[in-house]
Amino acid sequence: MQGVEYDTKEIAKSQEFFAYTGVRAAAADFVNACLHGGQPACCFDNAVKAMEVAEKILAKALLNGQ
């Protein structure tokens, strides 16, 4: 099985590192959240939830001998 390969520079329509790596979008999202009193899309709570899912996947794989 092979995934789809995307060119982030093409998608971002920029050769600037901060643009095609998502740094610009993440910074803008963070500033917007600060200005309007919300949570950014990528916040610590989401990171914790992602780690919990990853730990469960790893534990299941280890239990199955993978």
Side-chain angles (χ1 to χ4, degrees):
M1 177 182 246
Q2 187 175 3
V4 177
E5 188 174 312
Y6 294 96
D7 182 349
T8 57
K9 292 176 184 177
E10 183 179 313
I11 293 169
K13 296 181 175 78
S14 177
Q15 298 294 314
E16 297 289 338
F17 180 80
F18 66 91
Y20 70 80
T21 59
V23 173
R24 174 191 283 166
D29 182 49
F30 177 78
V31 170
N32 188 48
C34 290
L35 291 173
H36 300 290
Q39 279 278 36
C42 269
C43 64
F44 187 73
D45 188 46
N46 289 345
V48 170
K49 289 175 186 171
M51 288 303 300
E52 288 172 348
V53 170
E55 287 175 347
K56 289 177 183 177
I57 293 169
L58 176 60
K60 187 171 183 177
L62 291 173
L63 286 172
N64 290 331
Q66 297 177 349

